[in-house]
Amino acid sequence: MSGRQRYTVPVDVHLILRRESGTGTEVLVSRRAGAVYAAGLWHLPSGHLDGPHEDMADALIREAREETGVVVGRADVRAAVTVHHRAPGGEARVGFFFEVRRWAGEPRLMEPHVCDAMTWARLDALPAPMVAYCRAGLDAYRAGEHLAVHFQRPDDPIAHDATADRLRVLPGVDPSPPRRTPAPRTPGRPAAPLGDAS
């Protein structure tokens, strides 16, 4: 080890509160307001871990209650997608996006000093302008992906811009068991049964 301080990044949690309606799949979004980063842009309810005592699911449940007033049970939190993000200013973070389809209570604005609107939006017709990082996570989620990199360039806008789409998904493992194929036969020697190391 070189003696330098170990590199660390903030950890975010993002709530994909999902419901089905007559027009299709909808997710809850809110518009940031006030003296906050990305004011005026749409985003998912989200936040940071409070410290080493709090795990990701607990942080999501807390943020859901604080920002939207809904009560989420731990058994209803589902891992959706993880995004390694770098903002135009160069700061990086890792965001864990979680899907929740069952909760108690009706979503409402709980923090009007940092959020001035909240609405249900169709997953295939998200509102604009939206934070690019959030949109990247939702695009990966909608495509059924589970891990993505979203490294923005210094001149990229904070808001999603289709002409500056930096989303790159990383393929997952194939869950099916590996197929074994017999070794090629050597002329004059009988084929060995599968699993025979001789």
Side-chain angles (χ1 to χ4, degrees):
M1 192 112 179
S2 65
R4 290 182 298 172
Q5 185 174 1
R6 187 182 297 270
Y7 174 65
T8 60
V9 296
V11 175
D12 302 330
V13 292
H14 303 257
L15 173 65
I16 303 174
L17 202 65
R18 174 176 172 157
R19 73 178 188 183
E20 304 303 322
S21 74
T23 60
T25 300
E26 296 179 330
V27 295
L28 187 72
V29 293
S30 58
R31 189 172 58 203
R32 299 173 64 82
V36 296
Y37 179 77
L41 305 185
W42 291 94
H43 200 281
L44 290 169
S46 61
H48 308 99
L49 269 65
D50 268 354
H53 63 281
E54 187 174 51
D55 71 27
M56 295 178 293
D58 287 341
L60 184 83
I61 291 166
R62 175 181 53 76
E63 290 289 352
R65 186 180 63 253
E66 290 175 358
E67 292 194 24
T68 73
V70 303
V71 177
V72 174
R74 192 178 178 94
D76 294 313
V77 176
R78 297 287 183 267
V81 62
T82 300
V83 179
H84 186 192
H85 167 70
R86 184 183 66 203
E91 308 85 7
R93 59 201 325 109
V94 174
F96 295 92
F97 291 69
F98 295 94
E99 178 194 89
V100 172
R101 297 192 189 204
R102 188 171 60 180
W103 62 89
E106 192 63 32
R108 63 193 187 280
L109 280 174
M110 297 290 291
E111 298 177 324
H113 57 291
V114 294
C115 173
D116 66 2
M118 183 175 285
T119 190
W120 291 98
R122 277 181 30 201
L123 188 56
D124 62 355
L126 294 167
M130 177 173 271
V131 176
Y133 168 32
C134 174
R135 176 61 186 263
L138 284 170
D139 285 349
Y141 166 73
R142 187 169 164 233
E145 303 292 347
H146 299 287
L147 185 61
V149 173
H150 184 253
F151 269 30
Q152 291 183 282
R153 298 176 184 166
D155 57 344
D156 284 347
I158 296 169
H160 170 71
D161 179 350
T163 66
D165 184 2
R166 308 297 178 207
L167 177 64
R168 300 294 176 264
V169 297
L170 300 171
V173 297
D174 183 350
S176 59
R179 292 180 45 125
R180 294 187 62 182
T181 55
R185 292 186 60 181
T186 304
R189 182 178 177 193
L194 290 177
D196 188 344
S198 60

